[in-house]
Amino acid sequence: MAHVIAGEGPFLAAAGDISDLREHFNFKPGVPVEKLTHGISLAFPLSEPVLEGCGEGPTILYEHHYRQVNVLLGRAALAVHGFIRGRGGVALPVPASVFTDWKTQAAHLSHKMIALRTGIGWIGRHILLTTPEYGARVRLVSILTDLVIQPPQRPAIECGQFRQRTALC
């Protein structure tokens, strides 16, 4: 399922109906989300050496990597937005790691729930989105659209189904 977008590296991409999640969105009044019934989720894997260096907490290297991956995800979301607009659709790219309320850590929407709904992965025992390709070591961004996009068929996997612990769970 890995896809390359604009030569930037291995993105995971999936789409599906997210209309029932709209009641949980946290956009200001006036942002027209009622017609945006489908979501596209993009995931980009984080560097394993960077993450392994965070044994005692986030490092300066991790902070830089995290921010650069978010910039990359934003660029990819804008590219998808342009693709959708070029086909007559409406798209709303929703940035990663932007809070609408810092005190409550509220965001416009849950990228994890969009990714779950579109089939990029499942929620693991650690309550993180887990992908078959990269485990939980991904950052996410979402694009909402009015284009009807059929989701790919992926097998449903839950960690509890495995008798032995695997690298994915």
Side-chain angles (χ1 to χ4, degrees):
M1 175 182 236
H3 301 281
V4 176
I5 298 176
E8 297 286 355
F11 278 88
L12 301 178
D17 186 320
I18 51 88
S19 55
D20 63 323
L21 296 178
R22 288 181 298 172
E23 67 184 84
H24 303 287
F25 291 173
N26 189 25
F27 291 97
K28 290 192 178 229
V31 176
V33 296
E34 51 281 337
K35 293 182 182 179
L36 306 178
T37 59
H38 284 71
I40 300 167
S41 182
L42 302 178
F44 191 84
L46 294 169
S47 166
E48 289 185 23
V50 169
L51 292 176
E52 288 170 7
C54 294
E56 295 182 22
T59 63
I60 294 171
L61 183 59
Y62 172 78
E63 180 183 346
H64 176 74
H65 184 62
Y66 179 92
R67 289 178 191 225
Q68 292 303 307
V69 170
N70 281 350
V71 167
L72 181 62
L73 285 167
R75 288 180 46 214
L78 286 174
V80 172
H81 167 263
F83 178 83
I84 291 170
R85 286 199 56 198
R87 279 143 187 81
V90 174
L92 175 62
V94 183
S97 298
V98 173
F99 294 114
T100 57
D101 184 342
W102 185 255
K103 288 181 183 178
T104 64
Q105 302 284 293
H108 289 102
L109 54 73
S110 169
H111 295 291
K112 178 171 72 171
M113 292 311 296
I114 300 290
L116 177 65
R117 183 59 49 83
T118 61
I120 277 187
W122 63 92
I123 305 302
R125 292 180 183 178
H126 41 56
I127 315 198
L128 296 173
L129 180 85
T130 303
T131 68
E133 297 85 353
Y134 303 108
R137 295 176 168 207
V138 295
R139 295 286 306 134
L140 300 166
V141 73
S142 303
I143 303 99
L144 306 179
T145 183
D146 63 346
L147 290 182
V148 176
I149 303 169
Q150 295 300 320
Q153 295 297 318
R154 291 189 75 167
I157 300 173
E158 293 184 24
C159 290
Q161 295 175 338
F162 294 101
R163 289 182 183 234
Q164 295 180 344
R165 192 175 174 106
T166 69
L168 300 176
C169 299

